[in-house]
Amino acid sequence: MGEAESEKGRDEAQTLGEACAYARGSHRQKGVQREPGKNGAGREEGKLDKTDTWCLYTRELLKELGLEEAWNAGRVTDEWNEIVRSKIHEREQISWRTRCLIRPKLRTYALLKKELKMEPYLDDLTIRGGIPELAKLRGGANRLRIEQGRYVKERIEERLCLLCQERKVEDEHHFLLDCPFYDHERKKLWSQVERITGTRECDLASKEQRLNALAGDYFQASEPSPNESREQQEQRKEEEANYRALAKAVMVYVTTAMRKRREKLKPSETL
């Protein structure tokens, strides 16, 4: 996500404000011989300087974003900044989502995260170690055998859980939702989910829904709108508070269960 945001920021800086108008005007003058500088040297014929490169990139970027008309017109509207941000974000989201779907390592991440945005659980710094553990679980960079088995060339069906007799692959679903080894911790977690949200585990019809409820956006607050009423603002604040409480409960489960797992398995078995 960081790489996508960096590229997105570069492209915004490239095109915001009067960039397309300036770039178009500069590009028109390409090939006009420059006056010699103080040292008597002008631009070498046929060689692009930084302005030419910037202009070419801006023109191609605007074409890619479907904004070529702005280049041709040589002017921008008052809403230009917002239009460019929206178009760049749309492009980056498609590219990011495509990369997520083709990488097996991101199997759970692709299920949980549909939009390229900052996850609200990352703002809660009240649990030391909780955020990294949850982020690793969501992103597939964890100690479960579904991930660690890759390093010893195991087939996916061979990466079985070593802590129960279910003969199931130890993946994120199994760890969060099914493994009997964590029944005590999981029962406590679902009790907290019901208290916070009013939703019971049995109210969620599928494993995907249960996984999304615990580690995804199922209970995230709605996005703020410009014309919110006071009542809507209060409701959103309540949703945000509930989500923070839920995220904290899930982080406690993940850190506690991972520690329990580590203590049970021998070092050689954690692979």
Side-chain angles (χ1 to χ4, degrees), residues 67-78:
L67 298 173
E68 189 175 11
E69 181 59 33
W71 174 275
N72 294 331
R75 61 179 181 275
V76 295
T77 64
D78 293 339

Side-chain angles (χ1 to χ4, degrees), residues 197-213:
T197 68
T199 301
R200 298 172 299 173
E201 181 180 7
C202 61
D203 294 331
L204 301 167
S206 65
K207 281 189 177 183
E208 284 70 24
Q209 274 192 328
R210 294 197 291 275
L211 183 70
N212 198 27

Side-chain angles (χ1 to χ4, degrees), residues 229-256:
S229 66
R230 182 179 296 274
E231 182 179 349
Q232 289 173 323
Q233 290 177 356
E234 292 300 322
Q235 181 180 351
R236 182 168 50 79
K237 287 179 181 178
E238 183 179 351
E239 290 174 352
E240 290 172 350
N242 287 342
Y243 175 79
R244 285 195 298 271
L246 175 62
K248 188 179 297 186
V250 174
M251 290 181 202
V252 170
Y253 171 88
V254 173
T255 53
T256 302

Side-chain angles (χ1 to χ4, degrees), residues 14 26 32 70 78 97 101 134 224 231 246:
Q14 187 82 5
S26 299
V32 176
D78 293 339
R97 184 68 180 158
L101 291 173
L134 181 55
E231 182 179 349
L246 175 62

Side-chain angles (χ1 to χ4, degrees), residues 28 53 56 64 81 128 143 156 159 161 188 214 248 259 262 266:
R28 278 178 167 175
T53 304
L56 289 170
E64 184 182 342
N81 289 4
R128 193 177 187 86
R143 293 185 291 275
I156 291 178
R159 304 172 197 177
C161 179
K188 183 177 179 181
L214 296 180
K248 188 179 297 186
R259 182 168 58 249
R262 190 166 56 248
K266 298 174 184 178

